[in-house]
Amino acid sequence: MAYERELEFALAIARRAGEIALEHQRGGVTAETKSDLSPVTAADRASERLIAEAIRAEFPEDGLLGEEGSDRQGQSGRRWIIDPIDGTREFVRGNPAWSILLALEEAGDVKVGIAHFPATDATYRAVRGQGAFLGDTRLRASGIRSAAQAVLCINGFDQVRRFPFAAGLLEWLAEFWAVRSFGGCMDAVMVASGKADAWIEPKAEPWDIAALRLIGEEAGAVFFNLDGGCSLYAGNAVLCAPAMESEMRRFLVRG
């Protein structure tokens, strides 16, 4: 199986990082505020340090890109993209909807993606061309075709107002069967699992979406940006069930 070594490594190191984060959480968590106003804790830094050191030891030619400062070009043409705790606000408050995100990018494409949720011991994984899984269960996006039947997950309402679609957002949301916001990583894996039908993330860095995009796409979901493109580096993300793509693009993508 292609990328078997990389997948097994990612699964093991994500679990170890999750154990470290849980130890920090049990001891009490204090968050600092970064320059972009997002929170960071000692657990975020310890988790990324563990992951980055393990990658350097196991794959010394690979590059690194991490939320908490890991940045190395590497020599192999591959790069590991790390979010040591995605959902730090949830982590700080003791909510379970936070995860360790780890992805391997090669030649501009994500080949391996892991989303490990330590609080619930759930691990979502995908390898490009080989499907997405939760444990031994293969994930499949839903076949929902209309907003009236769909569950929409939207994150970052404070960021939505800067987009052209903001003025009509409340009326559009009212068309959906349900609107929820569990937090980025949880919203995304729910779309991949067919338990929700669309996820909008108006502000996202590559480490927020690399693993989640692959898991979603390998489950049959569609990924795009709010400008209509399809990049990890556009600063936002939409993931949706395939039959919902036209409706999502119609409202969200404005010329």
Side-chain angles (χ1 to χ4, degrees):
M1 181 179 75
Y3 298 99
E4 183 172 9
R5 177 188 171 203
E6 291 83 354
L7 176 64
E8 291 304 316
F9 166 82
L11 289 168
I13 200 62
R15 181 170 291 278
R16 285 173 56 196
E19 291 169 356
I20 285 177
L22 288 172
E23 289 175 7
H24 277 265
Q25 193 178 56
R26 285 190 289 267
V29 178
T30 301
E32 303 169 28
T33 301
K34 297 191 287 189
S35 59
D36 64 357
L37 303 183
S38 65
V40 63
T41 70
D44 293 81
R45 297 187 178 108
S47 173
E48 181 161 313
R49 185 164 54 249
L50 171 76
I51 295 169
E53 289 175 355
I55 291 169
R56 292 187 191 101
E58 187 74 15
F59 302 103
E61 299 298 311
D62 289 358
L64 296 170
L65 178 64
E67 180 175 13
E68 306 310 333
S70 296
D71 191 0
R72 187 179 69 175
Q73 288 298 314
Q75 304 297 320
S76 65
R78 310 193 323 173
R79 178 165 69 170
W80 292 87
I81 302 176
I82 308 162
D83 194 337
I85 297 179
D86 186 70
T88 300
R89 289 179 174 86
E90 283 66 43
F91 175 76
V92 169
R93 295 298 298 270
N95 298 325
W98 57 278
S99 67
I100 313 293
L101 299 181
L102 185 56
L104 175 63
E105 181 185 48
E106 182 174 9
D109 187 34
V110 179
K111 301 298 187 181
V112 177
I114 300 294
H116 174 57
F117 290 77
T120 58
D121 197 27
T123 305
Y124 298 79
R125 70 184 192 277
V127 175
R128 181 68 74 189
Q130 298 177 33
F133 296 83
L134 170 59
D136 295 328
T137 302
R138 184 155 189 167
L139 303 178
R140 300 189 188 280
S142 82
I144 293 293
R145 308 185 65 84
S146 70
Q149 298 175 307
V151 176
L152 171 66
C153 298
I154 181 168
N155 201 26
F157 277 96
D158 59 322
Q159 299 294 326
V160 166
R161 59 189 175 187
R162 61 194 174 93
F163 290 94
F165 60 77
L169 182 62
L170 287 179
E171 290 79 6
W172 183 64
L173 294 180
E175 298 176 14
F176 284 81
W177 187 69
V179 178
R180 301 288 185 261
S181 181
F182 300 101
C185 55
M186 183 63 74
D187 293 341
V189 298
M190 287 183 64
V191 173
S193 303
K195 296 175 180 178
D197 310 294
W199 166 51
I200 303 169
E201 185 67 57
K203 184 177 185 297
E205 300 294 341
W207 44 78
D208 296 313
I209 55 177
L212 299 174
R213 172 182 176 174
L214 179 63
I215 292 166
E217 288 180 333
E218 285 297 311
V222 176
F223 174 90
F224 62 93
N225 306 123
L226 292 170
D227 64 359
C230 189
S231 172
L232 292 179
Y233 303 95
N236 52 67
V238 178
L239 187 71
C240 66
M244 290 296 297
E245 181 182 6
S246 61
E247 170 61 19
M248 301 297 291
R249 286 184 180 270
R250 178 195 68 78
F251 181 79
L252 296 172
V253 180
R254 308 292 177 94

